[in-house]
Amino acid sequence: MPTETKEYSLYAPGNLVITRKELYSYDPHQMIAGGTVGVVLSGPVPNYNNHCQVHFVGFPEPWWVNFGEIEPYLNI
C-alpha cells in the first residue's frame, strides 16, 4: 500500500517550484497567482522549519512560503 511521503530535497536552493494556489502577503494588495513559477533561494532555517525563501517570476522581492503552498516544478 503506498504511503504519502514528502521529499524536501526537491526544495533545495536552485530548484524550481510552482504555487499550488494563490498566495497572499500581509498586504492585501500583494498576491501571487496559483501556478506561478519561482526558484528556491534558501531552505528551512531554525524556528522557521517548514518554510523556504522563493523568488517568484515577476516579483521584485523573494517570499517565505510554507512547503504546503508550493510543489516542485516538473517540466515533463
Side-chain angles (χ1 to χ4, degrees), residues 33-53:
T36 302
V37 176
V39 63
V40 177
L41 299 179
S42 64
V45 295
N47 299 323
Y48 223 40
N49 293 334
N50 292 324
H51 293 75
C52 62
Q53 191 175 36

Side-chain angles (χ1 to χ4, degrees), residues 32 39 41 52-56 59-65:
I32 297 177
V39 63
L41 299 179
C52 62
Q53 191 175 36
V54 179
H55 192 200
F56 291 101
F59 290 84
E61 297 179 358
W63 285 44
W64 282 100
V65 296

Side-chain angles (χ1 to χ4, degrees), residues 1-2 5 9 11 15 23 25 31 42 46 52 55 60 64 67 69 71 74 76:
M1 171 125 346
T5 62
S9 65
Y11 303 111
N15 287 350
L23 302 179
S25 172
M31 188 262 308
S42 64
C52 62
H55 192 200
W64 282 100
F67 287 128
E69 298 173 321
E71 59 188 42
L74 303 173
I76 300 175

